[in-house]
Amino acid sequence: MSTYLRIAGIEKESIVDGPGIRLTVFSQGCKHHCLGCHNPQTHSFEGGQIIDIENILDMIKKNPLLDGITFSGGDPFEQAESFAVLGGKVKAMGLNVMSYTGYTYEEILEGMDKRPEWKELLYVTDILVDGPFDINKKSMMLKFKGSSNQRIIDVKESLTSNEVVIFD
Ligand code: SF4
């Protein structure tokens, strides 16, 4: 079980990466290379810095105002094992977990057999913003996502009902 993450950075208090006040972890490493990506510095799997998730948990414990944690990118699903461990510990503290990914929800479901760590991360995620950024569908009016093809998914409801349920 890995407890280390390669990250591009951390925003200790964000109100733009999901509902409420959140600590956002920017994962380092992404294979999608979406045209117009706002965080191209996060694409390399060599860059960023290594951090023990215990250090992130310490930051969370110091801020009682937090509603949850957000995993942004890069693509957190490329380090799903460690993000799943972190997400599980954050949920045990009573906070919610939101994750971004360039994969679609359906791709994650299909890929879970070969990548069991995807299942672990998906199952600790409350809200998933899925799919690659599409510059042709970009809009500044969208909340918590960059292009209209991306969906903000209620993961628990979607898994229960066996169809994508959009987060309300
Ligand atoms: S998935 Fe996200 S981080 Fe990766 S290239 Fe696309 S927009 Fe950038």
Side-chain angles (χ1 to χ4, degrees):
M1 182 177 78
S2 172
T3 60
Y4 289 91
L5 283 168
R6 184 179 287 275
I7 63 165
I10 290 176
E11 178 63 55
K12 288 186 182 172
E13 226 173 73
S14 168
I15 55 167
V16 296
D17 297 313
I21 302 172
R22 317 187 66 80
L23 182 141
T24 304
V25 181
F26 294 90
S27 181
Q28 181 71 39
C30 182
K31 295 178 180 170
H32 302 287
H33 299 285
C34 308
L35 188 66
C37 170
H38 276 212
N39 298 323
Q41 74 282 6
T42 66
H43 294 180
S44 166
F45 284 84
E46 315 270 291
Q49 65 182 98
I50 305 290
I51 188 169
D52 190 320
I53 64 171
E54 291 300 330
N55 293 344
I56 300 172
L57 292 167
D58 285 343
M59 292 176 203
I60 293 171
K61 284 175 196 157
K62 285 180 186 155
N63 189 350
L65 296 177
L66 290 174
D67 295 293
I69 192 166
T70 295
F71 305 148
S72 189
D75 194 328
F77 275 76
E78 302 301 354
Q79 300 184 75
E81 186 182 347
S82 295
F83 274 113
V85 174
L86 176 58
K89 289 183 186 256
V90 169
K91 283 181 81 78
M93 294 162 72
L95 302 185
N96 60 60
V97 176
M98 176 162 165
S99 185
Y100 286 79
T101 179
Y103 296 103
T104 64
Y105 177 76
E106 290 80 3
E107 285 172 331
I108 291 169
L109 289 184
E110 283 168 20
M112 285 189 323
D113 282 348
K114 285 186 182 150
R115 299 182 73 168
E117 69 276 14
W118 278 11
K119 183 173 184 179
E120 289 167 24
L121 178 52
L122 186 68
Y123 275 66
V124 299
T125 300
D126 297 293
I127 307 166
L128 183 80
V129 184
D130 82 330
F133 170 69
D134 183 341
I135 198 165
N136 296 313
K137 295 177 178 167
K138 175 183 175 180
S139 170
M140 303 302 280
M141 304 302 288
L142 300 168
K143 203 173 175 188
F144 305 142
K145 58 182 189 174
S147 57
S148 60
N149 60 299
Q150 297 170 316
R151 300 169 295 182
I152 303 175
I153 296 172
D154 184 326
V155 175
K156 199 174 185 184
E157 288 295 322
S158 298
L159 289 171
T160 304
S161 60
N162 226 8
E163 61 181 10
V164 172
V165 177
I166 299 301
F167 179 78
D168 197 349

